[in-house]
Amino acid sequence: MKQDPTDLADQFRKEIEGEVRFDKYSKILYSTDASVWQIEPIGVVIPRHKQDVAAIGRVAARHKVPILPRGGATSLSGQTVGNAVHIDFAKYMHSVIELNTEEQWVRVQPGVIQDHLNDYLRPHGFGLGPDTSSSSRATLGGMVGNNSAGSHSIVHGKMIDHVMEVKTVLSDGSEAVFGPVNEGGLDSLRRGDSLENRLYREALGIGEIYRDEILARFPKLIRRVSGYNLDELVRNNGHYGAGYSSRPGPFNLARLLVGSEGTLAVISEAKIRIVPLPKRKALLLVHFRSLLEAVESVEEILRFEPAAAELMDDFNLKQAFAKPEFAEQMGYVDRAANALMVVEFYGVTEPEVASKLDRLKVHLEKKRIGFSYLPVVDPVQQANIWNTRKMALGLLMSVSGDKKPIAFVEDPAVPIAKMPAFLRGFQEILETHDAHGGYYGHASVGCLHVRPMINLKKASEVEKMGSILDEVSALVGEYGGSMSGEHGDGIARGKYNKHLFGAEIYGAFKRVKALFDPENIMNPGKVVDAPEPTESLRWGADYQTIQIDTKLNFEREGGLARAIENCNGMGVCRKRDVGTMCPSYHATLDEEHSTRGRANALRAALSGRLPAAELTSKRMYDVLDLCLECKGCKRECPTNVDMAKIKYEFL
Ligand SMILES: Cc1cc2nc3c(=O)[nH]c(=O)nc-3n(C[C@H](O)[C@H](O)[C@H](O)COP(=O)(O)OP(=O)(O)OC[C@H]3O[C@@H](n4cnc5c(N)ncnc54)[C@H](O)[C@@H]3O)c2cc1C
Ligand code: SF4
């Protein structure tokens, strides 16, 4: 960027009502998401309304400065980190604008949090289809950006199946609304010289030119979120969409933007389809002697048309049993199990769901699939079980020491029939590299979350991470899968799109990127032209922290630095409705006043990203000042970050 950052900040200040922060601390605070990558932004802008978003787009276009939209920054693949001006939608732009229950849609600002939207919709008998485990702080903008999905995607699909229309700011600073367009509408939209007109003209052309290759090369999976959704540009039986990863419909460029990770346009408003809530729900917990047996059972379980089939392995179960707050909720689980499948059924009446549970139970017993089957109809117990499943990742991350189960090959999806062979292949790769990991995931749709144990502070382990990525991508290709089933490409997997989709389709991805963003200012380096995933790591072989003689005893945590490093960025401290953590964030909705923000600032000072003198500076004092020392984080953070204790030490 040739632009002087101070001038640039002034330009933004002149044109927006929201906040503009280009100071070093703000850059540190926005340099991470929930992934293992870290890159300092150019600065941060916090829009108050869609006029601000349009103005941000105009300034960025005028100065050719990269921008990166951001919601809760709970992404696991590094797509929300980058050297760009970050646009924080979560602080001010979190309103529901309009609800239409008759037509079943809602219009939202991008910073609306999933759980908040569901709380708003529940009294009307509706909910959002995709349900991520990060629902307490993930935003609708981020869900659209990542094409997020959840436990019930076998019924509700992914975000692409729910996004009806988006209001956007394009890379030239112009604004455009993308929604369903009929053939007559397409004819007129194709004509003209605006960027919007060009997008219609050339996107349709790309769909025609690459049609055969797209139909041949795109993985035939519900859970394909890697790459751009070129399959949406393909005309097929009177509709648009190949029908592999979404339901075909009228031509709609909004569906190409879904999952594009902020690389094609910035969304300032979205119209989202909502779904009626099920009247009754019930669970069957199926226990297995091995993970492989559980995975082998999926096809059989799916014959009974469940609404969800979610997997947890022994690593997850052991971590949950080791934590008193979860062990209490897990009293129902047979401790002899090495894997657990949570199978959910929807229905209208209680007898109906009870009979669905019973039919599956009898069938599995007869076929000797699994060994213990627990029907759960009580709503409180069901909620506890879902809570434990939702916390699976947090539970995995709570292992102590520098070797952590990290996210980089954590999200592959393959056809259900190929899951057992794929799992065996995956396990072999990890065994070869002596990198045992934890497994969980959305078994009903072939999406496995696997987190190998890696110590990113060692060069040899970083190299190992690169080798595992190469080998897993080859395995995914062999089984016709997708490197990402919901978390996105980001820095972790962008590199592999060429290999997985082939050179021709990758060329088409690059054409799409160049069409939407010829100056490469929209979250550059994601989806196409991605950097090496072994670079720009939050830790890494060069990572070192200064030694501090602490007054308090941090032996249990492995020292003060490790106590701070326990924060992995998953952002549970940004939740707002349940529990205590984090009251200062609740009050200001400012990253700086969250447990995660404080941990990031302190880690920066301990590891040299900020001068060590900052540890005793007034600015660091400000970061910690609003912390009420309530210990909410110690109790509620899945990795038990104890910011109150860290603050006592600081003071
Ligand atoms: C513990 C944990 C559990 C998770 N479970 C799931 C799960 O079950 N299912 C799942 O799908 N994911 C899951 N995730 C990943 C992540 O939480 C989801 O993808 C989530 O929807 C991201 O929302 P966010 O607001 O944090 O997005 P961010 O991380 O802030 O952004 C995500 C992407 O969208 C882009 N973006 C954000 N706002 C806009 C906008 N206004 N316009 C254009 N682009 C935008 C960003 O640039 C970025 O590329 C999990 C993550 C964690 C840490
Ligand atoms: S102790 Fe501080 S950081 Fe932790 S939840 Fe309470 S206010 Fe937030």
Side-chain angles (χ1 to χ4, degrees):
M1 188 200 52
K2 293 179 198 91
Q3 180 78 30
D4 177 319
T6 314
D7 290 350
L8 187 62
D10 286 344
Q11 290 292 320
F12 282 116
R13 271 189 203 106
K14 253 186 235 152
E15 301 209 21
I16 73 169
E17 276 183 26
E19 298 178 48
V20 178
R21 302 180 184 178
F22 274 53
D23 62 291
K24 181 73 178 171
Y25 267 71
S26 297
K27 292 188 210 175
I28 291 287
L29 291 164
Y30 283 79
S31 62
T32 62
D33 52 12
S35 74
V36 294
W37 290 273
Q38 175 157 12
I39 300 174
E40 248 182 60
I42 294 166
V44 179
V45 288
I46 313 182
R48 285 187 185 271
H49 38 61
K50 63 180 181 226
Q51 291 81 358
D52 271 358
V53 184
I56 291 165
R58 285 194 302 272
V59 175
R62 204 161 58 230
H63 297 280
K64 298 190 182 9
V65 64
I67 46 179
L68 194 165
R70 165 180 160 127
T74 64
S75 286
L76 290 160
S77 327
Q79 57 268 56
T80 321
V81 302
N83 183 243
V85 175
H86 287 218
I87 311 170
D88 178 349
F89 282 101
K91 186 167 180 186
Y92 298 118
M93 292 188 64
H94 47 69
S95 298
V96 175
I97 300 167
E98 189 184 354
L99 169 68
N100 187 325
T101 50
E102 213 164 289
E103 294 174 14
Q104 306 196 347
W105 55 259
V106 67
R107 194 181 292 282
V108 295
Q109 291 186 315
V112 170
I113 288 174
Q114 261 176 87
D115 275 358
H116 290 186
L117 180 60
N118 280 319
D119 290 345
Y120 174 88
L121 295 172
R122 198 170 299 111
H124 301 277
F126 288 92
L128 182 67
D131 52 340
T132 73
S133 301
S134 50
S135 59
S136 58
R137 65 276 186 205
T139 64
L140 268 290
M143 290 183 82
V144 177
N146 281 351
N147 197 3
S148 297
S151 304
H152 299 89
S153 62
I154 193 162
V155 180
H156 297 306
K158 309 182 297 298
M159 279 308 280
I160 192 165
D161 298 299
H162 301 266
V163 174
M164 299 169 78
E165 186 184 286
V166 287
K167 225 170 231 169
T168 62
V169 176
L170 301 177
S171 66
D172 66 349
S174 62
E175 293 174 73
V177 178
F178 297 112
V181 189
N182 60 26
E183 295 296 327
L186 277 178
D187 271 350
S188 61
L189 279 164
R190 261 195 284 218
R191 282 187 232 118
D193 290 329
S194 71
L195 177 54
E196 182 186 0
N197 298 137
R198 248 186 357 260
L199 296 182
Y200 277 100
R201 208 161 43 234
E202 293 187 29
L204 280 160
I206 288 172
E208 279 164 25
I209 296 166
Y210 294 93
R211 184 177 187 280
D212 293 345
E213 190 68 5
I214 292 168
L215 291 176
R217 288 301 297 249
F218 263 61
K220 290 148 192 74
L221 290 174
I222 296 180
R223 290 305 199 96
R224 191 273 313 151
V225 309
S226 284
Y228 289 129
N229 301 329
L230 295 191
D231 48 342
E232 295 303 319
L233 306 179
V234 167
R235 199 168 150 72
N236 219 5
N237 300 324
H239 290 291
Y240 283 88
Y244 303 156
S245 307
S246 64
R247 292 169 204 128
F251 188 81
N252 187 345
L253 276 180
R255 288 159 69 97
L256 178 62
L257 297 185
V258 176
S260 65
E261 301 182 2
T263 61
L264 302 181
V266 175
I267 295 163
S268 60
E269 213 172 278
K271 181 176 166 186
I272 310 278
R273 183 171 293 117
I274 52 176
V275 298
L277 292 174
K279 297 257 182 300
R280 290 279 178 278
K281 299 187 274 190
L283 305 176
L284 185 70
L285 302 190
V286 188
H287 300 74
F288 294 92
R289 300 267 176 226
S290 76
L291 179 65
L292 186 61
E293 188 198 0
V295 167
E296 281 169 345
S297 76
V298 177
E299 273 194 292
E300 207 64 47
I301 289 174
L302 291 186
R303 288 175 50 202
F304 290 78
E305 300 185 349
E310 296 282 299
L311 184 67
M312 286 171 81
D313 77 345
D314 58 337
F315 197 166
N316 277 280
L317 294 174
K318 278 181 196 136
Q319 290 293 116
F321 286 135
K323 293 201 162 225
E325 66 275 28
F326 287 107
E328 210 177 290
Q329 295 179 5
M330 301 263 295
Y332 48 83
V333 174
D334 190 325
R335 295 206 177 206
N338 284 318
L340 181 72
M341 190 84 77
V342 179
V343 187
E344 184 168 63
F345 288 96
Y346 287 168
V348 178
T349 62
E350 235 170 81
E352 182 196 347
V353 284
S355 96
K356 286 182 179 175
L357 296 186
D358 202 48
R359 277 179 49 227
L360 176 61
K361 180 171 177 283
V362 168
H363 180 79
L364 295 178
E365 270 169 347
K366 201 164 117 203
K367 289 236 165 188
R368 293 173 186 271
I369 296 173
F371 70 89
S372 165
Y373 319 89
L374 184 71
V376 185
V377 285
D378 173 49
V380 176
Q381 270 190 7
Q382 288 185 48
N384 285 343
I385 290 162
W386 276 119
N387 186 36
T388 313
R389 164 59 191 88
K390 273 190 155 191
M391 295 313 283
L393 173 55
L395 289 166
L396 278 181
M397 292 305 292
S398 62
V399 294
S400 48
D402 287 340
K403 221 172 203 192
K404 300 269 189 212
I406 60 165
F408 61 108
V409 283
E410 87 293 357
D411 197 34
V414 293
I416 302 286
K418 296 183 176 166
M419 264 174 91
F422 178 74
L423 174 67
R424 276 194 295 268
F426 208 124
Q427 286 174 322
E428 267 167 37
I429 292 173
L430 294 196
E431 269 158 37
T432 314
H433 289 284
D434 187 24
H436 173 69
Y439 295 73
Y440 63 102
H442 311 294
S444 58
V445 284
C447 182
L448 266 186
H449 293 326
V450 192
R451 294 187 149 236
M453 297 283 286
I454 300 278
N455 178 357
L456 281 181
K457 293 179 182 170
K458 281 188 171 171
S460 59
E461 296 265 305
V462 173
E463 208 176 296
K464 184 191 279 189
M465 169 188 171
S467 306
I468 293 175
L469 263 164
D470 290 347
E471 290 167 37
V472 168
S473 81
L475 189 72
V476 166
E478 190 185 326
Y479 287 103
S482 170
M483 275 296 269
S484 173
E486 61 179 19
H487 295 163
D489 290 331
I491 298 175
R493 292 173 279 269
K495 173 186 167 186
Y496 297 95
N497 280 335
K498 188 169 183 181
H499 159 72
L500 281 161
F501 290 91
E504 204 174 332
I505 295 288
Y506 187 72
F509 287 165
K510 290 192 64 151
R511 275 182 74 167
V512 165
K513 172 69 176 170
L515 170 64
F516 276 82
D517 182 21
E519 299 290 346
N520 197 24
I521 62 166
M522 301 292 212
N523 198 4
K526 314 288 157 47
V527 186
V528 292
D529 296 326
E532 279 297 321
T534 47
E535 289 167 8
S536 304
L537 291 163
R538 179 194 287 227
W539 294 287
D542 301 336
Y543 180 88
Q544 275 188 340
T545 51
I546 50 170
Q547 286 300 317
I548 291 185
D549 290 331
T550 57
K551 302 242 170 350
L552 299 174
N553 185 349
F554 284 91
E555 214 171 300
R556 198 171 48 83
E557 296 90 339
L560 174 64
R562 287 201 177 83
I564 293 166
E565 288 162 10
N566 266 342
C567 170
N568 54 48
M570 71 178 90
V572 182
C573 48
R574 292 172 63 98
K575 70 181 167 59
R576 277 155 57 191
D577 299 318
V578 282
T580 307
M581 172 175 72
C582 169
S584 52
Y585 176 73
H586 295 178
T588 65
L589 298 189
D590 210 310
E591 179 75 20
E592 174 165 338
H593 301 131
S594 67
T595 316
R596 175 172 80 175
R598 294 184 176 113
N600 270 334
L602 287 163
R603 188 165 48 79
L606 285 179
S607 63
R609 286 183 192 263
L610 283 172
E614 285 298 322
L615 277 172
T616 50
S617 70
K618 165 78 172 69
R619 185 68 181 90
M620 189 67 84
Y621 180 86
D622 290 342
V623 170
L624 290 166
D625 190 28
L626 291 191
C627 167
L628 303 177
E629 296 144 56
C630 65
K631 296 248 177 211
C633 44
K634 181 166 193 259
R635 279 191 310 276
E636 294 168 23
C637 169
T639 55
N640 303 115
V641 173
D642 185 354
M643 193 50 69
K645 182 175 174 187
I646 295 166
K647 183 178 173 185
Y648 298 143
E649 182 62 45
F650 172 83
L651 292 175

